[in-house]
Amino acid sequence: MASRGKSETGKLKQNMEEQLDRLMQQLQDLEECRDDLEEEEYEETKKETLEQLNEFNESLKKMVTGNMTLVDELGGMQLAIQAAISQAFKTPEVIRMFAKKQPGQLRTRLAEMDRDVMVGKLLRDVYTQQKLEILTALRKLGEKLTVEDETFLAENVTATLSQFEKITADLGSEDKIMALASSGVEKTKV
């Protein structure tokens, strides 16, 4: 949705024009067939068509006054998720593995980091940040964490990672989150 709604707005406009054409054609057909219909049937059909036109007009008014837009709510959710992902996960490698749903590779990376911190190849603060990212990603992928991992998360979780978990839980659709995480990976590579 990089266009932020341009193509969706074009489709919406086309659908609205088609709906208006359909309703006008329905009124025209009704008038042409008036003699073939019972008076009650004619009045009922005309009343229904005029009600549909009125509802259509109310929708147009809302759009024109700005009370309704196609992408505001979805775009807002998408931006919130992208912001959460970009702030919560600072390691592109973790974002990529999370987006591609690769828990095995995340666990392998965690084991490598455990080894690297032991031999002094990885700084403790870098290790803590990346381990938090990996454990959070594993949890979001539905992986079972050890008691030690859960304790580590509880003791070290940052506000950003906590907010990421809340946002993704509120949205509920892991597939949407994964798609957005994938787009975040592409932006990180640039």
Side-chain angles (χ1 to χ4, degrees):
M1 213 158 102
S3 69
R4 292 287 178 245
K6 287 182 183 178
S7 64
E8 291 83 356
T9 301
K11 288 177 189 173
L12 177 63
K13 183 180 179 211
Q14 179 183 352
N15 287 345
M16 305 279 296
E17 289 171 349
E18 289 172 0
Q19 185 177 0
L20 179 59
D21 289 344
R22 182 187 61 77
L23 290 169
M24 295 314 237
Q25 185 63 48
Q26 192 171 321
L27 278 176
Q28 183 180 344
D29 291 346
L30 187 61
E31 288 303 320
E32 290 175 2
C33 297
R34 184 175 187 164
D35 294 337
D36 301 337
L37 299 172
E38 302 257 345
E39 187 63 28
E40 185 179 319
E41 186 179 5
Y42 167 79
E43 290 298 328
E44 181 67 27
T45 306
K46 184 173 182 177
K47 180 182 173 196
E48 288 175 6
T49 303
L50 291 173
E51 286 174 0
Q52 290 174 17
L53 266 171
N54 191 39
E55 290 172 9
F56 179 71
N57 188 42
E58 290 301 317
S59 294
L60 282 175
K61 282 181 189 176
K62 285 181 181 179
M63 284 185 230
V64 169
T65 60
N67 290 338
M68 182 178 119
T69 63
L70 183 62
V71 296
D72 278 355
E73 185 175 333
L74 296 176
M77 285 191 292
Q78 180 185 25
L79 292 173
I81 292 170
Q82 287 173 339
I85 290 169
S86 66
Q87 291 173 12
F89 295 121
K90 297 183 181 1
T91 312
E93 181 181 17
V94 174
I95 296 171
R96 182 176 35 75
M97 287 185 263
F98 174 65
K100 291 184 176 183
K101 298 182 181 181
Q102 298 174 326
Q105 288 186 343
L106 285 165
R107 289 195 184 277
T108 300
R109 176 70 182 127
L110 187 55
E112 291 168 358
M113 288 171 31
D114 287 339
R115 181 197 65 222
D116 289 349
V117 79
M118 293 271 202
V119 298
K121 191 175 174 184
L122 185 63
L123 295 175
R124 176 63 65 180
D125 59 338
V126 174
Y127 168 79
T128 300
Q129 175 62 36
Q130 289 185 9
K131 184 171 182 175
L132 279 170
E133 292 176 16
I134 290 172
L135 293 176
T136 301
L138 287 169
R139 182 188 280 167
K140 293 313 285 179
L141 291 173
E143 292 292 305
K144 185 85 173 134
L145 300 180
T146 65
V147 174
E148 294 82 19
D149 289 341
E150 290 287 353
T151 303
F152 182 87
L153 268 176
E155 291 173 354
N156 295 289
V157 74
T158 63
T160 305
L161 281 172
S162 178
Q163 184 173 359
F164 170 72
E165 285 203 66
K166 182 187 179 314
I167 289 171
T168 56
D170 289 348
L171 290 173
S173 175
E174 294 295 324
D175 291 335
K176 290 178 187 173
I177 294 162
M178 293 303 146
L180 291 168
S182 296
S183 70
V185 168
E186 295 306 315
K187 289 178 184 172
T188 309
K189 288 180 182 176
V190 175

